[in-house]
Amino acid sequence: MHEMSLVQGLLAQLNELAREHGKEKVISVSMEIGPLSGVVIDSFQFGFDILAKDDALTREAKLIIESPPAIYRCFGCGREVEALQRPERCSECSETLFSPQGGDGLILRQVEME
Amino acid sequence: MCDACGCDLKPEHTHDSKVVEVHQSLLAANTAMAVKNREHIEKMGAVAINMISSPGSGKTTLLEKTIEAIGDTIRIGVIEGDIETDRDAERIRAKGVPVVQLTTGGACHLDAAQVHKGIHLLEKEEGGAELDILFIENVGNLVCPATFDLGEHHRLVLVSVPEGPDKPAKYPKAFHSSQVFIISKTDLLPYFDFPVEEAKAEALQLNPNLQVMALSATSGEGFDQWLDYLREVCRKRQ
């Protein structure tokens, strides 16, 4: 479960940001976790819930996760579709090969602190 | 009462809250270290291959047989990743090539910082600073290692015949991020239901650019294609 070590990295970064901006409490953390990031959102949330409690800085922080869809480009006709899961086949030409674009982000977007 | 948090301070009390835009990957630190590793490996003149699979797919055996076959013409070094023990490193050391064992102490994957340490340790081993191919054998796990760039040039995913053919569909990230897919232990095909062509097609659906090989390190079947691939990797590096 690599989500746990990723959450540890996130908490270290939050500590650094708080120090940098002279803040003592994190109110909310906005993350983007794409469907192709290799990260299970529920596990990430679970890890955050457990580890954030250990630190006064993050004890009450709210984690907001968005998962924007990936774009799948058909190998046959070039048609692009937005989807959370890989399409079975192209609705235009029935091709089964797609190359995904994006959707692999694991990004700390925004932190609200006080 | 304060609307923001319900505290008892006067209504004009304001929370000094601040929104900081970060927009940085959580993997940024790992990626930065991976870039350094790649540069370092290239300065050594080597090309690095990150091997990812479930436990028991035959990564170490594949390395042993590879060293036996071409270890006298291609300088091979190995970084072994395991949760505990240096058993795999002992097996590789017995083949006479420089090797370093990294034990993660519970962590399910190697990261770029660990590999960075591993490269420096390897350079202290005899012959460890002058390599053609650096194999990084990741912790046996088809999930977590796929997220971490170690500074490799090629990523290789292995599935052995007894594991079954549905791994690409179940663990897409490992196949999506790799360049090579090896089906190992093909000598066991008579005893397991493993339709090789279906497994290949499924993997190619996830990643049409995958180079797929089926081989057995025990019987030697398909091994020439693997060795040719390694020679090609060395040749292209120059």
Side-chain angles (χ1 to χ4, degrees), chain B residues 140-197:
Chain B
N141 177 345
L142 213 41
V143 186
C144 311
T147 300
F148 296 85
D149 183 0
L150 304 180
E152 73 266 25
H153 299 86
H154 301 270
R155 185 175 286 191
L156 185 158
V157 58
L158 267 98
V159 173
S160 66
V161 165
E163 289 170 63
D166 54 357
K167 289 289 185 292
K170 285 185 179 168
Y171 303 92
K173 174 94 176 175
F175 292 83
H176 184 241
S177 65
S178 292
Q179 288 80 42
V180 180
F181 170 30
I182 289 186
I183 298 169
S184 62
K185 308 191 188 179
T186 55
D187 53 303
L188 299 176
L189 278 172
Y191 312 105
F192 289 90
D193 182 19
F194 192 107
V196 173
E197 292 309 316

Side-chain angles (χ1 to χ4, degrees), chain B residues 119-140:
Chain B
I119 295 168
H120 283 290
L121 289 171
L122 193 68
E123 283 179 316
K124 290 181 188 154
E125 297 278 313
E126 196 185 334
E130 289 164 339
L131 300 173
D132 296 311
I133 299 180
L134 170 62
F135 284 106
I136 304 166
E137 185 182 332
N138 220 311
V139 177

Side-chain angles (χ1 to χ4, degrees), chain A residues 50-83:
Chain A
I50 290 176
L51 296 176
K53 281 197 180 65
D54 284 347
D55 191 336
L57 177 77
T58 49
R59 193 164 292 146
E60 290 164 45
K62 190 172 166 217
L63 177 63
I64 303 155
I65 299 175
E66 275 185 49
S67 188
I71 294 166
Y72 289 92
R73 190 166 203 280
C74 170
F75 253 60
C77 67
R79 183 188 158 90
E80 292 184 344
V81 282
E82 263 195 3

Side-chain angles (χ1 to χ4, degrees), chain B residues 14-99:
Chain B
T14 55
H15 282 271
D16 185 17
S17 102
K18 179 173 188 175
V19 174
V20 179
E21 301 289 338
V22 187
H23 293 279
Q24 193 187 43
S25 170
L26 275 201
L27 295 164
N30 185 75
T31 306
M33 185 58 89
V35 168
K36 280 189 190 168
N37 288 352
R38 202 152 19 242
E39 284 170 5
H40 192 127
I41 293 160
E42 282 162 14
K43 273 191 198 146
M44 292 163 74
V47 58
I49 300 178
N50 180 5
M51 303 169 81
I52 295 178
S53 83
S54 319
S57 295
K59 295 186 293 296
T60 314
T61 305
L62 178 64
L63 286 179
E64 286 175 316
K65 299 288 179 181
T66 303
I67 296 162
E68 281 174 20
I70 53 170
D72 52 348
T73 53
I74 292 178
R75 295 168 300 177
I76 292 172
V78 181
I79 293 177
E80 284 286 346
D82 272 304
I83 290 176
E84 289 291 348
T85 84
D86 61 352
R87 288 180 193 175
D88 283 356
E90 284 308 317
R91 285 172 58 185
I92 298 299
R93 191 169 288 118
K95 299 291 168 193
V97 302
V99 58

Side-chain angles (χ1 to χ4, degrees), chain A residues 1-2 5-6 10 13 17 21 23 27 31 36-38 44 75 86 96-98 100 104 106-114, chain B residues 5 15-27 108-109 141 143-145 147-148 173 176 201 204-209:
Chain A
M1 179 154 147
H2 60 306
S5 58
L6 291 169
L10 169 63
Q13 201 173 346
L17 282 169
H21 294 274
K23 303 292 179 191
I27 300 167
M31 294 273 316
L36 300 176
S37 65
F44 194 90
F75 253 60
R86 168 177 295 271
T96 56
L97 294 184
F98 295 90
D104 57 351
L106 177 61
I107 296 161
L108 173 58
R109 284 181 174 169
Q110 204 184 61
V111 183
E112 188 183 1
M113 298 176 286
E114 65 175 26
Chain B
C5 69
H15 282 271
D16 185 17
S17 102
K18 179 173 188 175
V19 174
V20 179
E21 301 289 338
V22 187
H23 293 279
Q24 193 187 43
S25 170
L26 275 201
L27 295 164
C108 48
H109 58 272
N141 177 345
V143 186
C144 311
T147 300
F148 296 85
K173 174 94 176 175
H176 184 241
L204 287 172
Q205 240 170 33
L206 281 172
N207 179 356
N209 301 316

Side-chain angles (χ1 to χ4, degrees), chain A residues 3-15:
Chain A
E3 283 82 1
M4 220 60 164
S5 58
L6 291 169
V7 169
Q8 282 172 335
L10 169 63
L11 293 175
Q13 201 173 346
L14 292 178
N15 264 285

